[in-house]
Amino acid sequence: MISWIFIFRLLQISNFFSAFSYNISTCYYKISEEFHREGDVVIGAFFPLHTFYSLKKMQHSTIPYYYLDNVIQYNFKNYQYILALQFAIEEINGNPNLLPNISLGFDFYNVRFTGKYILDITFNWLTALGERNYIPNYNCKKRNFTAALTGTSWITSAQMGTLLQLFKFPQINFGPYDLLLSDRGQYSSLYQISPKDTSLSLAIVSLMVHFRWSWIGLILPNDHKGNKILSDFREEMERNGICLAFVKMTSDTWTSYVAKFWENMDETNVTIIYGDIDSLEGIMRNIEQRLLTWNIWIMNIEHHVIDRADYFILDSFHGSLIFKHSYRENFEFTKFIQTVNPNKYPEDVYLPKLWYLFFKCSFSDTNCHVLENCQTNASLDVFPSHIFDVAMNAESTSIYNGVYAVAHSLHEMRLQQLQVQPYENRHGMVFFPWQLNSFLKDIEVKDKKSLDWRQTIDTEYDILNIWNLPKGLGLKVKIGSFSANAPQGQQLSLSEQMIQWPAIFSEIPQSVCSESCGPGFRKVTLEGKAICCYKCTPCADNEISNETDVDKCVKCPERHYANKEKSHCFQKSVSFLAYEDPLGMAVASIALCLSALTAFVIGIFVKHRDTPIVKANNRALSYILLITLTFCFLCSLNFIGKPTTASCILQQTTFAVAFTMALGTVLAKAITVVLAFKISLPGRMVRWLMISRGPNYIIPISTLIQLIICGMWITTSPPFIDQDAHTEYGHIIILCNKGSAVAFHSVLGYLCFMALGSYAMAFLSRNLPDTFNESKFLSFSMLVFFCVWVTFLPVYHSTKGKVMVAMEVFSILASSTALLAFIFGPKCYIILLRPDKNSFNHIRKKTPSRKNFPKI
């Protein structure tokens, strides 16, 4: 299908250029550029049928907005302006309810240049004496002038307005709405028929937001309109997080475009072009020549450059988008165009030129306004769209509305005249043009939706997509719309499947300064760069981002945790040192095994209770120590399993009391050994202590002191159930909080104090005879006990969660095992493996004489 379209376009292009391949008839140049249509009331029409632009914009020294180096080029598409004028006047003249018995006519002037030329044709028209030959204040034929239709350039309207406002002559601008022309102090009789671009920036930015385009270029005219729309765009873009990659203002000197103007143009894939046809003429041509096919141009004008055909396939504007005011299509106008021909409108000097160029007609030798050898079925609607478009464009719609505005104003004024003077002027209309101003003002402020002849709506835009591949196809397809009055979120309507993007893109283009930050990341703005230029950094621990391009990550709730991708929060599972856990199972197994081992040692000592080694080392204290050690091993089981209030209290109290009894027993054994070797020395006190078994009272006294400490602890700040939601990933660890750190360290300090006391007493008796002496083993066990708990404190405070609990259990088991191993290990070795040393004969041989005993 595309290939057939391409061949068809090539044939059209060939036919188009063949029209200029033969010599142009002299009649083509002799025919005047101006003409008029007779009527009781005449409208002045000043339209540009030539496109003009300035190469270097050499400013005239005295005339404003006038350049000395203007270049003109005929634009066939602008002929639609004349047809819109003809169509509106024919409708009004044929309407018996509007201006009855009064006909409208017009004087047409082709605006080719600005400056002095504009002033000349304006003054000539006002004096009605023909082009450039006028006598002020004299008119041979009475004609009722009403208003002047001017455009499309605001410069043209401004130059004419400076002269027309001197006479309060009504002027209607059909070009784009301009704030400068709305200054009533400078242009008191100028009215703008085109809708304002009040929502254009909002509409275009909404499109950017829809496609997630955040890095945009902007090309604007360097005038008051460019500065105003730049301010509007900045405001909307900042509100929606869109940045400007560059802002290029069209310079007063065209040569500057070739140099620095096009620098950095490849920084973005999307560029907004705003302005009117005249201000953007050079820019659009240069874009076309440079074949900037990687860029999506978003424009507010339907420029004729995109409709020109040549032998290139690619086009810079293919896939671009146009925002234009929404209006109801006028199908009657299309039917009207089909009937237009030189015979129907003999006063129209342009129809013979068009028929001569495109339908191979010839001019008569006697009259240049008469054509010969023409096709009978020739019509304007057979032209391809790049030459002439039958659909009414925005400017033609404004001309149509402008003529109706004048007609309604005249009708209101006519009714007012008939009410004041009902029997005069019944067959004509006598008035001064300035009288029309009050009626035009009333129409201008009325709601446009209430007038049938007004078809445009200020806040609604149609979005057109340019299909121009191959070049010359020139289709503008409506792919969406924007309505500022629609509810939020429903203002923009698009049919994305209909959009044709530039050929370089195979999918929806992206235009960003930095790649999007996906879930789990947040944006970090780069210093000195726009907010759209950033780097992506992962979210912090336990923070997530489940959207793209977020500025801040969201912290998960206390009982939730972030997944590894940091994109979702999940409910934490409850965890504690359970018997089912490998760590809990290992600790519990070790505790039970050591408890069983201690019970086994108790059994050995009970079985061999009458042997010397058992009796010599204070058999009763050994039994107490072994039983206490059994409780020390078993108390570690309180730390395993789901914590409860009772278990949290029992953990610390049973551990403290059991270890206090064990250390008290060790201290009693050490003191007993010392006293045993001092019993022969003079003094009743030592003898009394040995006979009354005084050292044994150390056990209940030391235990009582520990119980007092624990009682104060439980009374003031008891241990309680606590939760640790941070230590273990994805889990909430339930554990026992000590309640009072001072009380906990006081308990440990008291135990260490007793261990040091036991070590000191055992150290004093280290040199006593080996047969009766266990002091070396007591001192070594106390040294190990002390080292375990001193090492425990820093390790305990540096760990969290279940590991912290396991560390305390490990310290309990390690210190208890040290007591069991170093105190009872050698005795069990002798009892079980060296029974020969556990006899009275062996003891007698080893016992030295008393005089060899060391002094204590």
Side-chain angles (χ1 to χ4, degrees):
M1 180 63 183
I2 296 296
S3 61
W4 282 108
I5 294 176
F6 177 62
I7 295 172
F8 176 69
R9 298 308 304 158
L10 287 178
L11 292 175
Q12 287 185 331
I13 295 170
S14 301
N15 292 334
F16 174 75
F17 283 101
S18 67
F20 297 95
S21 61
Y22 55 87
N23 294 327
I24 302 296
S25 171
T26 57
C27 282
Y28 184 84
Y29 301 105
K30 288 182 179 180
I31 298 177
S32 173
E33 295 286 337
E34 287 77 31
F35 67 97
H36 72 275
R37 174 173 175 167
E38 292 294 338
D40 298 327
V41 180
V42 177
I43 298 175
F46 299 85
F47 302 160
L49 292 193
H50 289 83
T51 299
F52 69 96
Y53 58 95
S54 172
L55 294 176
K56 297 184 179 180
K57 292 196 173 182
M58 298 172 60
Q59 182 73 44
H60 193 278
S61 59
T62 58
I63 303 175
Y65 311 120
Y66 179 69
Y67 302 102
L68 300 177
D69 60 338
N70 281 333
V71 177
I72 64 171
Q73 176 181 338
Y74 194 84
N75 183 8
F76 298 113
K77 297 197 72 170
N78 286 5
Y79 178 67
Q80 190 188 93
Y81 301 163
I82 297 178
L83 296 181
L85 177 66
Q86 294 261 32
F87 176 63
I89 287 179
E90 284 196 8
E91 277 192 343
I92 293 169
N93 289 341
N95 187 352
N97 299 318
L98 184 61
L99 292 178
N101 301 323
I102 297 175
S103 63
L104 283 180
F106 65 86
D107 287 340
F108 171 76
Y109 291 88
N110 182 15
V111 181
R112 294 188 290 268
F113 304 101
T114 56
K116 185 177 181 296
Y117 173 80
I118 289 292
L119 299 178
D120 285 346
I121 63 174
T122 304
F123 197 77
N124 288 346
W125 179 65
L126 289 174
T127 56
L129 287 177
E131 184 175 357
R132 301 186 184 277
N133 296 314
Y134 57 87
I135 301 175
N137 301 323
Y138 179 77
N139 188 356
C140 61
K141 181 179 179 181
K142 184 64 178 177
R143 305 178 71 193
N144 284 327
F145 295 149
T146 56
L149 276 171
T150 62
T152 55
S153 170
W154 70 271
I155 297 178
T156 301
S157 297
Q159 290 175 343
M160 294 187 67
T162 56
L163 180 59
L164 294 175
Q165 66 94 21
L166 296 176
F167 305 97
K168 305 298 180 183
F169 199 95
Q171 179 185 0
I172 297 177
N173 174 45
F174 66 88
Y177 188 90
D178 195 292
L179 285 175
L180 185 66
L181 300 180
S182 63
D183 184 2
R184 287 299 179 197
Q186 189 174 2
Y187 305 102
S188 58
S189 58
L190 190 150
Y191 307 94
Q192 301 190 70
I193 207 70
S194 298
K196 299 178 182 179
D197 282 329
T198 53
S199 303
L200 179 63
S201 59
L202 174 61
I204 294 179
V205 171
S206 297
L207 183 76
M208 308 290 151
V209 174
H210 177 81
F211 287 115
R212 298 181 181 274
W213 294 334
S214 59
W215 194 235
I216 308 300
L218 195 56
I219 298 178
L220 306 169
N222 192 12
D223 56 20
H224 62 284
K225 293 182 68 175
N227 294 327
K228 174 63 172 64
I229 198 67
L230 176 59
S231 175
D232 293 343
F233 273 123
R234 286 191 188 277
E235 182 180 350
E236 288 295 334
M237 287 181 175
E238 287 178 4
R239 187 181 297 119
N240 291 276
I242 298 173
C243 303
L244 288 172
F246 57 81
V247 177
K248 297 184 181 292
M249 311 292 283
T250 55
S251 175
D252 292 336
T253 305
W254 169 248
T255 54
S256 65
Y257 300 160
V258 182
K260 294 183 178 180
F261 188 87
W262 300 105
E263 292 180 357
N264 306 324
M265 191 67 72
D266 57 348
E267 287 187 4
T268 176
N269 292 329
V270 179
T271 302
I272 301 171
I273 302 179
Y274 175 86
D276 55 38
I277 293 176
D278 299 295
S279 65
L280 297 177
E281 178 68 30
I283 293 291
M284 304 293 277
R285 289 180 178 277
N286 211 258
I287 290 174
E288 183 186 31
Q289 293 166 2
R290 289 173 177 269
L291 279 180
L292 305 179
T293 56
W294 69 84
N295 216 312
I296 301 170
W297 310 99
I298 300 178
M299 302 171 286
N300 69 313
I301 57 170
E302 297 182 68
H303 205 274
H304 67 270
V305 170
I306 62 177
D307 301 309
R308 296 200 300 119
D310 52 32
Y311 290 102
F312 290 101
I313 297 177
L314 299 178
D315 176 53
S316 298
F317 295 100
H318 173 70
S320 296
L321 302 171
I322 299 174
F323 280 77
K324 72 169 188 176
H325 286 284
S326 177
Y327 55 87
R328 294 186 294 274
E329 188 172 354
N330 196 326
F331 295 102
E332 295 299 323
F333 179 70
T334 304
K335 295 179 182 178
F336 167 78
I337 287 179
Q338 295 172 352
T339 65
V340 171
N341 60 70
N343 295 326
K344 183 178 181 180
Y345 299 102
E347 72 279 3
D348 190 334
V349 297
Y350 290 96
L351 284 175
K353 291 185 178 182
L354 290 172
W355 255 248
Y356 170 75
L357 289 175
F358 296 104
F359 298 118
K360 298 183 180 180
C361 298
S362 59
F363 290 105
S364 173
D365 295 334
T366 58
N367 187 349
C368 287
H369 290 274
V370 178
L371 294 175
E372 298 175 347
N373 304 320
C374 289
Q375 301 176 13
T376 57
N377 61 345
S379 175
L380 292 174
D381 64 338
V382 301
F383 287 161
S385 60
H386 69 275
I387 297 177
F388 184 83
D389 197 347
V390 296
M392 185 179 285
N393 58 30
E395 290 80 11
S396 297
T397 301
S398 296
I399 292 171
Y400 177 86
N401 292 338
V403 175
Y404 264 93
V406 173
H408 278 273
S409 300
L410 288 171
H411 187 76
E412 293 291 333
M413 186 169 63
R414 174 67 170 165
L415 293 177
Q416 190 179 90
Q417 288 178 348
L418 291 176
Q419 289 176 357
V420 176
Q421 297 174 328
Y423 298 105
E424 296 183 11
N425 302 324
R426 299 185 66 179
H427 301 288
M429 193 171 183
V430 179
F431 65 95
F432 294 101
W434 58 264
Q435 292 177 297
L436 203 62
N437 285 320
S438 59
F439 298 95
L440 284 171
K441 289 179 181 178
D442 291 339
I443 287 182
E444 189 182 43
V445 300
K446 286 182 180 179
D447 183 8
K448 294 183 178 183
K449 297 180 182 178
S450 66
L451 301 174
D452 292 338
W453 48 273
R454 292 263 181 121
Q455 298 175 338
T456 55
I457 302 174
D458 290 0
T459 58
E460 293 188 4
Y461 292 88
D462 287 336
I463 305 175
L464 307 182
N465 184 217
I466 299 175
W467 294 4
N468 204 29
L469 185 67
K471 189 172 183 179
L473 181 63
L475 296 180
K476 302 183 189 73
V477 181
K478 180 179 177 180
I479 51 91
S481 61
F482 177 85
S483 177
N485 295 328
Q488 190 72 24
Q490 302 178 17
Q491 296 174 320
L492 185 68
S493 175
L494 284 177
S495 298
E496 293 187 25
Q497 67 276 8
M498 295 181 60
I499 301 177
Q500 286 194 10
W501 302 110
I504 195 174
F505 299 111
S506 59
E507 56 185 10
I508 296 177
Q510 297 297 314
S511 186
V512 294
C513 179
S514 302
E515 292 296 328
S516 295
C517 296
F521 293 85
R522 64 180 178 89
K523 298 189 299 183
V524 177
T525 305
L526 300 175
E527 186 176 357
K529 299 287 187 178
I531 60 172
C532 299
C533 300
Y534 49 82
K535 66 177 182 178
C536 300
T537 184
C539 293
D541 291 340
N542 210 38
E543 291 185 352
I544 66 162
S545 64
N546 52 11
E547 297 179 356
T548 57
D549 294 337
V550 298
D551 297 315
K552 283 186 177 182
C553 298
V554 180
K555 192 173 183 64
C556 288
E558 186 69 21
R559 302 184 68 85
H560 292 72
Y561 70 98
N563 59 350
K564 292 183 179 180
E565 293 77 18
K566 297 183 179 179
S567 58
H568 292 89
C569 290
F570 294 103
Q571 182 81 31
K572 289 183 177 180
S573 59
V574 177
S575 177
F576 49 86
L577 188 61
Y579 290 101
E580 294 80 9
D581 291 341
L583 183 60
M585 188 179 297
V587 170
S589 300
I590 294 173
L592 292 175
C593 290
L594 291 174
S595 299
L597 180 61
T598 306
F600 176 71
V601 173
I602 293 174
I604 292 176
F605 268 61
V606 171
K607 183 178 180 180
H608 300 86
R609 60 185 177 275
D610 295 325
T611 59
I613 197 168
V614 175
K615 296 173 67 177
N617 290 287
N618 200 330
R619 182 171 53 191
L621 291 179
S622 296
Y623 290 156
I624 295 174
L625 181 58
L626 286 171
I627 294 172
T628 305
L629 287 177
T630 304
F631 282 104
C632 288
F633 288 126
L634 293 176
C635 77
S636 62
L637 298 178
N638 286 329
F639 293 84
I640 307 174
K642 186 175 182 179
T644 61
T645 303
S647 65
C648 287
I649 296 176
L650 288 175
Q651 282 179 7
Q652 308 305 325
T653 54
T654 56
F655 150 70
V657 172
F659 266 82
T660 302
M661 289 183 65
L663 293 176
T665 304
V666 173
L667 181 59
K669 287 173 73 67
I671 292 174
T672 300
V673 172
V674 173
L675 292 177
F677 284 91
K678 285 190 174 186
I679 195 170
S680 61
L681 297 177
R684 295 182 177 181
M685 180 60 67
V686 175
R687 189 184 301 273
W688 177 81
L689 288 174
M690 288 300 296
I691 295 172
S692 63
R693 299 183 182 271
N696 293 351
Y697 291 103
I698 294 175
I699 300 173
I701 293 173
S702 60
T703 304
L704 179 62
I705 295 173
Q706 187 69 280
L707 284 173
I708 293 173
I709 297 174
C710 291
M712 295 174 61
W713 181 6
I714 295 172
T715 304
T716 57
S717 181
F720 59 90
I721 302 174
D722 198 5
Q723 295 180 353
D724 182 3
H726 308 286
T727 301
E728 191 170 341
Y729 179 76
H731 294 83
I732 298 177
I733 301 174
I734 300 178
L735 46 80
C736 292
N737 190 301
K738 299 298 186 289
S740 174
V742 174
F744 174 68
H745 289 89
S746 298
V747 168
L748 291 182
Y750 181 70
L751 292 177
C752 290
F753 171 75
M754 292 194 66
L756 286 174
S758 301
Y759 173 77
M761 295 304 298
F763 184 78
L764 291 175
S765 58
R766 66 189 184 282
N767 294 323
L768 295 176
D770 291 344
T771 305
F772 301 97
N773 190 12
E774 61 177 353
S775 298
K776 291 182 179 180
F777 303 115
L778 292 176
S779 61
F780 193 71
S781 65
M782 288 298 99
L783 184 62
V784 174
F785 180 92
F786 183 78
C787 291
V788 167
W789 286 104
V790 169
T791 308
F792 161 77
L793 288 175
V795 176
Y796 177 81
H797 289 292
S798 63
T799 56
K800 299 290 182 182
K802 292 191 290 186
V803 178
M804 181 180 68
V805 178
M807 276 303 305
E808 187 170 359
V809 175
F810 173 78
S811 299
I812 293 172
L813 296 178
S815 57
S816 301
T817 304
L819 295 177
L820 178 65
F822 293 116
I823 295 176
F824 296 100
K827 296 178 177 60
C828 291
Y829 170 77
I830 293 173
I831 294 172
L832 297 177
L833 300 179
R834 299 296 301 273
D836 56 309
K837 292 184 178 183
N838 190 17
S839 63
F840 290 103
N841 294 329
H842 179 76
I843 293 172
R844 291 191 189 98
K845 293 179 182 180
K846 285 287 185 180
T847 302
S849 62
R850 182 173 294 274
K851 63 181 180 179
N852 294 329
F853 285 1
K855 295 182 180 181
I856 301 177

